[in-house]
Amino acid sequence: MKEVVRNGRRANFFITENRFIDCYAKKVGGSGVAVYSILQRCANSETRETWIGADKMAEILAVDRSTVYRQLKQLEDLHLIKTLRTREKTIYVVLPVPPPPPEASSIPLFDGIDEKASRNESIWPSVAPMQMSLTNESD
């Protein structure tokens, strides 16, 4: 009998919020995006808790454990994850992506569309129709 995924996610699939890429990817850099992606991949869809540890993340990414810890600290400082420590283990919880920090200068692609677009009105200037000639200008 084939086992099915019971936590609501599709097998071999996870989603990264656009806001993370738009507002935080540049700040955390490539290794931060990689660590965040692993945490998302290993997160329970209901509790958002992860089962993976820093040693395994370092092994998967082929980086030093100190790099993983540095990125985990940065992700926690940005309120993208929360670290829960017990005597036996450390659990990382992937938090909902917070609104962009005030210093974020770019507006995500679809966040900048005004109300005209939502009412199906054109946001582009009108262009007068042009008649095209099939003959060469030199004829």
Side-chain angles (χ1 to χ4, degrees):
M1 185 166 123
K2 186 175 180 180
E3 187 171 327
V4 293
V5 177
R6 296 183 196 144
N7 64 4
R9 295 188 311 180
R10 289 184 7 205
N12 297 316
F13 185 84
F14 75 93
I15 295 173
T16 298
E17 289 185 48
N18 290 339
R19 189 183 306 171
F20 172 75
I21 300 298
D22 294 339
C23 303
Y24 294 95
K26 187 174 183 179
K27 185 171 281 221
V28 299
S31 57
V33 171
V35 169
Y36 186 74
S37 295
I38 288 176
L39 291 172
Q40 284 188 301
R41 180 176 184 245
C42 299
N44 177 298
S45 66
E46 293 172 10
T47 65
R48 305 299 295 150
E49 294 178 355
T50 60
W51 54 265
I52 194 164
D55 289 337
K56 186 66 175 174
M57 285 188 266
E59 178 186 327
I60 291 169
L61 296 174
V63 297
D64 291 334
R65 194 171 53 182
S66 62
T67 300
V68 172
Y69 283 124
R70 193 169 38 256
Q71 295 307 322
L72 290 168
K73 172 76 170 109
Q74 186 175 27
L75 292 169
E76 189 167 29
D77 289 347
L78 292 169
H79 305 288
L80 294 165
I81 66 169
K82 183 176 182 179
T83 305
L84 306 173
R85 291 181 176 84
T86 67
R87 287 185 179 184
E88 296 83 30
K89 61 184 172 179
T90 301
I91 297 171
Y92 303 102
V93 180
V94 179
L95 301 173
V97 178
E103 68 272 7
S105 60
S106 65
I107 297 173
L109 180 61
F110 294 106
D111 288 354
I113 296 176
D114 63 13
E115 288 186 30
K116 278 186 180 180
S118 65
R119 293 190 309 256
N120 292 332
E121 296 175 20
S122 177
I123 59 172
W124 303 104
S126 60
V127 177
M130 294 177 26
Q131 290 192 355
M132 296 182 63
S133 172
L134 296 176
T135 60
N136 190 341
E137 295 262 336
S138 61
D139 289 342

